[in-house]
Amino acid sequence: MAEQENAGNWRLSQLITAAEKFTFADGRADINEARALIGLVHPFASSDPDLAGFEKLLTAIAEDGVVTGAESADLAAAIARLRDKYRASDAVYDARTLGLAKMGVLGVQHMFAMFGATILVPILTGLSPSATLLWAGLGTLLFHLVTQRLVPAFLGSSFAYLAGYFALAGMAGGANFADCDKHAMLQYACLGVAASTLLYFIVAGFVKACGVKTVMKFFPPVVTGPIIVGIGLVLAPVAVNSCGTCWPVALVAIVTVLAFSIFARGMFKIIPILMGVVCSYVVAVLLGKAGGCAAIDYSAVANAAWIGLPVKMSDTVFPLLAHPDWGRIASAVLIVFPLAFATIMEHVGDVSAISSTVKRNFFERPGLHRTMLGDGLATLLASLFGAPANTTYGENTGVLSLSKVYDPRVIRIAACLAILLSFCPKFSAFIGTIPAATIGGVSFILYGMISAVGVRNLVESQVDLGKSRNMLIAALILVLTLGITFSKGGALAFAVGSVKISLSGLAVGALMGIVLNAILPGKDFAFSETAPTIKDADRFGGPKPE
């Protein structure tokens, strides 16, 4: 029943969008447009007398395209009734009707939902938590500006780029990065992320010029699915090593995340990562006092100021650009760039989920090209200033589903709160006290879920791995990704003239998959603009309508 209701909500969204765009000026209407609208009305006509009358009226108009004066008035009235009936639901599209106090509480709730996952990325990578919060907030506001303030999306830290950060961190002290420490490698990783946003802008341009379907045929599930699987598998050893610092604390984090994901209700079901961090942190404090694991050092928290700037120039990429080493820059870009293919598909999925949840087709208005451009610009600025890449957040889509308040103004309140919190260095220092075992326990599940999302991408898209073409593409992506990553060298190194370049396994695997899919015959994937097909649609917007 829930699946049918979600599918109906999505179709209702398409119907309302099409009805509001239907034009019948000067006594005429487009026959093809009328027939398309009939197809959207028909599934609802048998159970709704108003829509049955609407369908009958459209059928008469579709015969010759002529709209009489009476029919014009009836059409306007039918569309108005449809819009009013839709707005009479329990959904809230203008939060100002709730009052400023409730809007503030809803904004805090959205910040709380994104907090755990957004902060986890700087904890895992060593980036600044303060800069992360600042650019999550600013990036969200920029996204809303680019998307005409229509899309209720919050932009938080992207996990898809973790493989790039860790790949470059592992190359510190190597042949091409002999004099680089972890801090310098993070700067190179951020520069690589910034360069990878070029792909967002290219794809957004092609979407605007050629349409979504034309562009997405180059990124079918048979390519993006194995890439996402590879991202999770490459990260798995990092999680296990962190867990090994204190397995009891790590196990508490794992069990807590599992328990809240499966058994919790309401808001707590959306924040299992945050609850895993909180519960395992408490256990770590108790075990530290009892001598069961290393005690937590709070000296940095005590010495930190309450108010300070969230961004340090030494953490940005600009010092690298002052005296550029083009070989190292090229290596960083080539290692990180392919990850943007996965994040673009993640973005398409999230826009589908948000559209399905709030019953608005954001592929059409403001358009996927605008949402992708906003995401790319937010990621570009965040990475230049030493913060993680941004992405639209499923956690906040879950809050939309629970609260039924779909006003983007509430999201912007959450963004402003994140910005305010970023100016507290003491908070950033406290985040730095979270034990490695806690991080490892949460990552243990998180990295596995990344791979599971890739598998689900293949399953839900019904990729036929019985076809040799699809099997070979998936196989080569996985073998190259894992084989090169865990080989003795850890990367594919070569020189172009005097410039030394290193490619990670994930970069080679992703590029191979994209090229093979483009040149091999037998493509069997067609992208749909009107159906959610992605990672969190079943949680936040319902499965793809049949």
Side-chain angles (χ1 to χ4, degrees), residues 213-220 223 341 513-514 517-518 523 525:
K213 289 185 179 181
T214 302
V215 175
M216 287 300 123
K217 69 181 181 180
F218 293 101
F219 311 112
V223 173
F341 292 110
I514 292 166
N517 174 71
K523 297 181 180 67
F525 171 71

Side-chain angles (χ1 to χ4, degrees), residues 183-184 187-188 191 312-325 329 384-386:
H183 180 267
Q187 290 178 298
Y188 277 111
L191 187 55
K312 298 178 180 177
M313 186 56 65
S314 59
D315 293 336
T316 69
V317 305
F318 300 113
L320 297 180
L321 298 176
H323 304 285
D325 184 318
I329 291 174
L384 287 176
F385 287 91

Side-chain angles (χ1 to χ4, degrees), residues 114-127:
M114 70 86 194
F115 190 80
T118 293
I119 288 299
L120 185 59
V121 172
I123 293 173
L124 292 171
T125 58
L127 295 169

Side-chain angles (χ1 to χ4, degrees), residues 77-89:
I79 293 171
R81 282 195 300 272
L82 176 62
R83 188 187 303 115
D84 291 342
K85 181 178 294 186
Y86 180 58
R87 289 177 177 171
S89 67

